[in-house]
Amino acid sequence: MDFDFAAIHGALPFLWKGMLYTIELTLYAAIGGLFFGTLLALARLSPWRALSLAAAGYVNLMRSIPLVLVIFWFFFLVPVILQVAMGHERPPMIGAERTAIITFIMFEAAYFCEIMRAGIQSIPRGQVHAAQALGLTYSQCMRLVVLPQAFRNMLPVLLTQTIILFQDTSLVYVISATDFVGAAAKIAQRDGRLVEMYLFVAAVYFVICFTLSALVRRLQRRIAVIR
Amino acid sequence: MIEIENVSKWYGSFRVLTDCSTRVARGEVVVVCGPSGSGKSTLIKCVNALEPFQQGQIRLDGTPVRDPGTDLPRLRAKVGMVFQHFELFPHLSITRNLTLAQEKVLGRPADEARERGLRLLERVGLSAHRDKFPGQLSGGQQQRVAIARALSMDPVAMLFDEPTSALDPEMINEVLDVMVELAHEGMTMMVVTHEMGFARKVADRVIFMDEGRIVEDAGTEEFFGSPRSERAQHFLARILHH
Ligand SMILES: Nc1ncnc2c1ncn2[C@@H]1O[C@H](COP(=O)(O)OP(=O)(O)O)[C@@H](O)[C@H]1O
Ligand SMILES: [Mg+2]
């Protein structure tokens, strides 16, 4: 079988656009997921039972359903939810790409929630007591003392989750969003160059993820030294 | 200054504190001692409502602690607290540890907070370490910073929960020296400690606790001279013969 590098070369601009979307989706999902995940973690740890049960229910639901299904559901549901929320007559057309961003933020929030919850629980009670004894309110204590330490302690895990997320974003292919894999699939179909395209895509994912994982391991060792 | 009236506290069905009553007058230094698990930490944490209690009342400078209308953060800001394990904020520099609550709780401008913090750091002899992080300091140094941090809030009273018991022996005195100085300056202090040398030197009264009760509450001379309860006698015999 002949392996045609030219097939890849010609497709690079289109693949690059796909990669940009993949990166964009990963960053949105990581930052949004961390933000909402932290709020969920605070809700789960709150003494108010209704709130903590609701948060736990959401997190467990998300973590028990395959991501592909969540993506499918949201693809159909998000326009309807937006329609109701904004009071429009017909579902707004927001496109697969934006639906995917919302979906991933909601899905990743469940995973980041569990990481941040573990991080918050790893902070000794004495730290909270010290903050309160100085007169800080609950929210100041969380914002200034507990969350920064939880985030720092969990940084390697958060980054590892982000690397997994980077790979998982390829699932948006099922709603025909043009991410890196989606772009490659379209070219592969058009030119009949499946082997070249999928090998190339796999190689790119491998290099990126392997490099990032190595960096996270180095970071982990440095954090261990500081502590 | 601190009035503790018939305080009782339960953890579930376990009664940690039983009818504890005592008072610490302005400028007075009171040492609290007793065997491990007798409720010393719990009692001192009830004073600034770090631990809730179910019965009785504590008044801090006249303000009832166990009252739904009391603004707890404001109340707590008025009393300094020093912990066994220092509890400096490890992600913040020493200077930031000293200024954070001054700015966020008292609303002091940054430069004023910094000036006040650094003056106190100088006072505990650690100016050279202002830009370091807590993890880079020895235990004794961290505890001195923790005392400076509490003082930066201009507290009307100071609570200490075994401030030297997590320290290596050679560091105990550097912390006790700071505390003795504070006592001589007239600070109102409630100190949980087993350092009987410190108690003899500066305490006005000694409280002995056992199984959640205040068993003995006497003047320092009287306590060391002739403890009334048998348990206190045993306790003293044990820790003084080391
Ligand atoms: N959070 C808690 N839950 C249940 N029991 C506790 C808790 N904290 C302390 N206790 C118990 O309360 C008792 C008094 O504890 P503490 O005040 O720390 O004693 P001390 O400081 O005198 O050593 C001990 O028997 C301890 O096991
Ligand atoms: Mg204790």
Side-chain angles (χ1 to χ4, degrees), chain B residues 94-129:
Chain B
I94 297 303
T95 304
R96 192 62 186 141
N97 263 278
L98 291 164
T99 57
L100 182 75
Q102 290 189 68
E103 290 174 27
K104 304 289 177 182
V105 178
L106 303 181
R108 283 191 183 144
D111 48 348
E112 195 185 320
R114 186 180 158 83
E115 195 188 319
R116 174 104 182 96
L118 291 181
R119 214 167 45 234
L120 285 160
L121 198 59
E122 166 134 46
R123 182 177 156 179
V124 296
L126 293 171
S127 290
H129 302 281

Short mmCIF file of all heavy atoms in Angstrom, two decimals, chain B residues 94-129:
data_model
loop_
_atom_site.label_atom_id
_atom_site.label_comp_id
_atom_site.label_asym_id
_atom_site.label_seq_id
_atom_site.Cartn_x
_atom_site.Cartn_y
_atom_site.Cartn_z
N ILE B 94 5.16 35.40 54.37
CA ILE B 94 5.04 35.80 55.77
C ILE B 94 4.35 37.16 55.86
O ILE B 94 3.41 37.35 56.66
CB ILE B 94 6.44 35.86 56.43
CG1 ILE B 94 7.09 34.47 56.42
CG2 ILE B 94 6.34 36.41 57.85
CD1 ILE B 94 6.30 33.38 57.10
N THR B 95 4.77 38.10 55.03
CA THR B 95 4.16 39.43 55.07
C THR B 95 2.67 39.36 54.78
O THR B 95 1.84 39.97 55.45
CB THR B 95 4.84 40.37 54.05
OG1 THR B 95 6.24 40.40 54.32
CG2 THR B 95 4.29 41.78 54.16
N ARG B 96 2.30 38.57 53.75
CA ARG B 96 0.88 38.46 53.39
C ARG B 96 0.08 37.80 54.51
O ARG B 96 -1.08 38.16 54.75
CB ARG B 96 0.74 37.67 52.08
CG ARG B 96 -0.65 37.76 51.48
CD ARG B 96 -0.99 39.19 51.11
NE ARG B 96 -2.38 39.33 50.66
CZ ARG B 96 -3.16 40.36 50.98
NH1 ARG B 96 -2.69 41.33 51.75
NH2 ARG B 96 -4.39 40.42 50.52
N ASN B 97 0.71 36.81 55.18
CA ASN B 97 0.05 36.20 56.34
C ASN B 97 -0.32 37.27 57.37
O ASN B 97 -1.36 37.19 58.01
CB ASN B 97 0.97 35.16 56.98
CG ASN B 97 0.69 33.75 56.52
OD1 ASN B 97 -0.22 33.10 57.03
ND2 ASN B 97 1.44 33.28 55.53
N LEU B 98 0.58 38.26 57.50
CA LEU B 98 0.37 39.30 58.52
C LEU B 98 -0.62 40.37 58.08
O LEU B 98 -1.21 41.04 58.91
CB LEU B 98 1.71 39.95 58.87
CG LEU B 98 2.70 39.05 59.62
CD1 LEU B 98 4.10 39.63 59.57
CD2 LEU B 98 2.26 38.88 61.06
N THR B 99 -0.79 40.56 56.77
CA THR B 99 -1.62 41.67 56.32
C THR B 99 -3.03 41.26 55.87
O THR B 99 -3.94 42.08 55.86
CB THR B 99 -0.96 42.42 55.14
OG1 THR B 99 -0.72 41.48 54.08
CG2 THR B 99 0.34 43.06 55.55
N LEU B 100 -3.17 39.98 55.49
CA LEU B 100 -4.44 39.53 54.88
C LEU B 100 -5.68 39.93 55.68
O LEU B 100 -6.56 40.62 55.18
CB LEU B 100 -4.40 38.00 54.70
CG LEU B 100 -5.63 37.40 54.02
CD1 LEU B 100 -5.61 37.70 52.52
CD2 LEU B 100 -5.71 35.90 54.25
N ALA B 101 -5.72 39.51 56.95
CA ALA B 101 -6.93 39.77 57.74
C ALA B 101 -7.06 41.26 58.09
O ALA B 101 -8.17 41.78 58.18
CB ALA B 101 -6.92 38.92 59.00
N GLN B 102 -5.92 41.93 58.29
CA GLN B 102 -6.00 43.38 58.56
C GLN B 102 -6.74 44.09 57.43
O GLN B 102 -7.56 44.96 57.66
CB GLN B 102 -4.59 43.98 58.64
CG GLN B 102 -3.80 43.59 59.87
CD GLN B 102 -2.53 44.43 59.94
OE1 GLN B 102 -2.58 45.63 60.15
NE2 GLN B 102 -1.39 43.79 59.73
N GLU B 103 -6.42 43.68 56.19
CA GLU B 103 -7.06 44.33 55.05
C GLU B 103 -8.49 43.86 54.85
O GLU B 103 -9.41 44.66 54.66
CB GLU B 103 -6.25 44.07 53.77
CG GLU B 103 -4.91 44.80 53.74
CD GLU B 103 -4.07 44.40 52.54
OE1 GLU B 103 -4.65 44.00 51.50
OE2 GLU B 103 -2.83 44.47 52.64
N LYS B 104 -8.68 42.53 54.89
CA LYS B 104 -9.99 41.97 54.53
C LYS B 104 -11.02 42.11 55.64
O LYS B 104 -12.20 42.18 55.39
CB LYS B 104 -9.86 40.49 54.14
CG LYS B 104 -8.88 40.22 53.03
CD LYS B 104 -9.41 40.71 51.69
CE LYS B 104 -8.35 40.49 50.62
NZ LYS B 104 -8.80 41.00 49.31
N VAL B 105 -10.55 42.08 56.90
CA VAL B 105 -11.50 42.12 58.01
C VAL B 105 -11.61 43.53 58.61
O VAL B 105 -12.69 44.04 58.81
CB VAL B 105 -11.10 41.11 59.12
CG1 VAL B 105 -12.05 41.19 60.29
CG2 VAL B 105 -11.06 39.69 58.54
N LEU B 106 -10.46 44.15 58.85
CA LEU B 106 -10.49 45.48 59.47
C LEU B 106 -10.58 46.58 58.42
O LEU B 106 -10.82 47.74 58.77
CB LEU B 106 -9.23 45.68 60.33
CG LEU B 106 -9.00 44.66 61.45
CD1 LEU B 106 -7.73 45.00 62.22
CD2 LEU B 106 -10.20 44.61 62.39
N GLY B 107 -10.34 46.23 57.15
CA GLY B 107 -10.42 47.23 56.09
C GLY B 107 -9.28 48.24 56.12
O GLY B 107 -9.41 49.36 55.62
N ARG B 108 -8.13 47.83 56.70
CA ARG B 108 -7.00 48.76 56.72
C ARG B 108 -6.41 48.89 55.32
O ARG B 108 -6.34 47.92 54.59
CB ARG B 108 -5.91 48.22 57.64
CG ARG B 108 -6.23 48.43 59.09
CD ARG B 108 -5.03 48.13 59.97
NE ARG B 108 -5.45 48.28 61.35
CZ ARG B 108 -5.00 47.52 62.35
NH1 ARG B 108 -4.12 46.58 62.14
NH2 ARG B 108 -5.45 47.73 63.57
N PRO B 109 -5.96 50.08 54.97
CA PRO B 109 -5.27 50.23 53.68
C PRO B 109 -4.00 49.37 53.66
O PRO B 109 -3.40 49.13 54.71
CB PRO B 109 -4.91 51.72 53.62
CG PRO B 109 -5.59 52.37 54.77
CD PRO B 109 -6.03 51.32 55.73
N ALA B 110 -3.61 48.93 52.45
CA ALA B 110 -2.51 47.98 52.30
C ALA B 110 -1.22 48.46 52.96
O ALA B 110 -0.55 47.70 53.65
CB ALA B 110 -2.28 47.68 50.82
N ASP B 111 -0.88 49.75 52.78
CA ASP B 111 0.41 50.20 53.31
C ASP B 111 0.39 50.27 54.84
O ASP B 111 1.37 49.94 55.49
CB ASP B 111 0.82 51.55 52.70
CG ASP B 111 -0.32 52.56 52.72
OD1 ASP B 111 -1.46 52.15 53.00
OD2 ASP B 111 -0.06 53.75 52.47
N GLU B 112 -0.76 50.63 55.39
CA GLU B 112 -0.88 50.68 56.85
C GLU B 112 -0.78 49.27 57.43
O GLU B 112 -0.10 49.03 58.43
CB GLU B 112 -2.23 51.30 57.21
CG GLU B 112 -2.35 51.74 58.65
CD GLU B 112 -3.76 52.24 58.96
OE1 GLU B 112 -4.33 52.94 58.08
OE2 GLU B 112 -4.28 51.91 60.03
N ALA B 113 -1.48 48.31 56.78
CA ALA B 113 -1.45 46.92 57.24
C ALA B 113 -0.03 46.37 57.18
O ALA B 113 0.44 45.69 58.10
CB ALA B 113 -2.38 46.07 56.38
N ARG B 114 0.66 46.73 56.10
CA ARG B 114 2.02 46.24 55.93
C ARG B 114 2.94 46.79 57.01
O ARG B 114 3.74 46.07 57.61
CB ARG B 114 2.51 46.64 54.53
CG ARG B 114 3.85 46.06 54.16
CD ARG B 114 4.25 46.50 52.76
NE ARG B 114 5.69 46.39 52.60
CZ ARG B 114 6.30 45.25 52.30
NH1 ARG B 114 5.59 44.16 52.08
NH2 ARG B 114 7.60 45.21 52.20
N GLU B 115 2.79 48.07 57.26
CA GLU B 115 3.63 48.71 58.27
C GLU B 115 3.40 48.07 59.64
O GLU B 115 4.34 47.72 60.36
CB GLU B 115 3.30 50.20 58.32
CG GLU B 115 4.33 51.04 59.06
CD GLU B 115 3.84 52.47 59.23
OE1 GLU B 115 3.25 53.01 58.27
OE2 GLU B 115 4.01 53.02 60.33
N ARG B 116 2.13 47.88 59.98
CA ARG B 116 1.78 47.27 61.27
C ARG B 116 2.32 45.85 61.34
O ARG B 116 2.87 45.44 62.35
CB ARG B 116 0.25 47.27 61.42
CG ARG B 116 -0.26 46.55 62.64
CD ARG B 116 -0.71 47.54 63.71
NE ARG B 116 -1.17 46.87 64.91
CZ ARG B 116 -0.38 46.67 65.98
NH1 ARG B 116 0.88 47.06 65.97
NH2 ARG B 116 -0.86 46.07 67.05
N GLY B 117 2.14 45.09 60.24
CA GLY B 117 2.59 43.70 60.21
C GLY B 117 4.10 43.61 60.38
O GLY B 117 4.60 42.80 61.17
N LEU B 118 4.82 44.46 59.66
CA LEU B 118 6.28 44.38 59.72
C LEU B 118 6.82 44.84 61.08
O LEU B 118 7.83 44.33 61.57
CB LEU B 118 6.91 45.22 58.59
CG LEU B 118 6.66 44.64 57.19
CD1 LEU B 118 7.31 45.49 56.11
CD2 LEU B 118 7.17 43.19 57.10
N ARG B 119 6.10 45.78 61.72
CA ARG B 119 6.53 46.21 63.05
C ARG B 119 6.41 45.03 64.03
O ARG B 119 7.29 44.80 64.86
CB ARG B 119 5.68 47.39 63.51
CG ARG B 119 6.50 48.34 64.36
CD ARG B 119 5.87 49.69 64.62
NE ARG B 119 4.48 49.67 64.99
CZ ARG B 119 3.54 50.38 64.36
NH1 ARG B 119 3.86 51.14 63.33
NH2 ARG B 119 2.30 50.33 64.76
N LEU B 120 5.32 44.27 63.90
CA LEU B 120 5.14 43.12 64.80
C LEU B 120 6.13 42.01 64.47
O LEU B 120 6.61 41.31 65.37
CB LEU B 120 3.70 42.61 64.69
CG LEU B 120 2.71 43.52 65.42
CD1 LEU B 120 1.30 43.31 64.94
CD2 LEU B 120 2.82 43.27 66.93
N LEU B 121 6.45 41.88 63.18
CA LEU B 121 7.43 40.86 62.79
C LEU B 121 8.78 41.21 63.41
O LEU B 121 9.50 40.33 63.90
CB LEU B 121 7.53 40.82 61.26
CG LEU B 121 8.17 39.57 60.66
CD1 LEU B 121 7.39 38.33 61.06
CD2 LEU B 121 8.25 39.68 59.15
N GLU B 122 9.10 42.48 63.40
CA GLU B 122 10.34 42.95 64.01
C GLU B 122 10.33 42.63 65.50
O GLU B 122 11.31 42.17 66.08
CB GLU B 122 10.45 44.45 63.78
CG GLU B 122 11.50 45.13 64.64
CD GLU B 122 12.35 46.08 63.83
OE1 GLU B 122 11.76 46.85 63.05
OE2 GLU B 122 13.58 46.03 63.98
N ARG B 123 9.18 42.85 66.10
CA ARG B 123 9.05 42.64 67.54
C ARG B 123 9.32 41.18 67.92
O ARG B 123 9.88 40.91 68.98
CB ARG B 123 7.64 43.04 67.94
CG ARG B 123 7.42 42.91 69.39
CD ARG B 123 6.08 43.37 69.78
NE ARG B 123 5.80 42.68 71.02
CZ ARG B 123 4.71 42.82 71.72
NH1 ARG B 123 3.77 43.61 71.29
NH2 ARG B 123 4.56 42.14 72.83
N VAL B 124 8.90 40.23 67.06
CA VAL B 124 9.18 38.82 67.37
C VAL B 124 10.51 38.40 66.74
O VAL B 124 10.83 37.21 66.69
CB VAL B 124 8.04 37.88 66.91
CG1 VAL B 124 6.76 38.17 67.68
CG2 VAL B 124 7.81 37.95 65.41
N GLY B 125 11.28 39.38 66.26
CA GLY B 125 12.65 39.12 65.82
C GLY B 125 12.78 38.39 64.50
O GLY B 125 13.73 37.65 64.29
N LEU B 126 11.83 38.59 63.58
CA LEU B 126 11.88 37.81 62.35
C LEU B 126 11.80 38.68 61.09
O LEU B 126 11.42 38.21 60.02
CB LEU B 126 10.73 36.79 62.34
CG LEU B 126 10.83 35.69 63.40
CD1 LEU B 126 9.55 34.88 63.47
CD2 LEU B 126 12.02 34.77 63.12
N SER B 127 12.19 39.94 61.21
CA SER B 127 12.11 40.84 60.06
C SER B 127 12.79 40.29 58.82
O SER B 127 12.31 40.47 57.70
CB SER B 127 12.75 42.19 60.40
OG SER B 127 11.93 42.86 61.32
N ALA B 128 13.90 39.60 59.02
CA ALA B 128 14.68 39.11 57.89
C ALA B 128 13.91 38.09 57.06
O ALA B 128 14.26 37.81 55.92
CB ALA B 128 15.98 38.49 58.39
N HIS B 129 12.85 37.54 57.62
CA HIS B 129 12.13 36.46 56.93
C HIS B 129 10.86 36.94 56.24
O HIS B 129 10.05 36.12 55.82
CB HIS B 129 11.78 35.35 57.93
CG HIS B 129 12.98 34.79 58.63
ND1 HIS B 129 13.81 33.86 58.04
CD2 HIS B 129 13.52 35.04 59.85
CE1 HIS B 129 14.79 33.56 58.87
NE2 HIS B 129 14.65 34.26 59.97
#
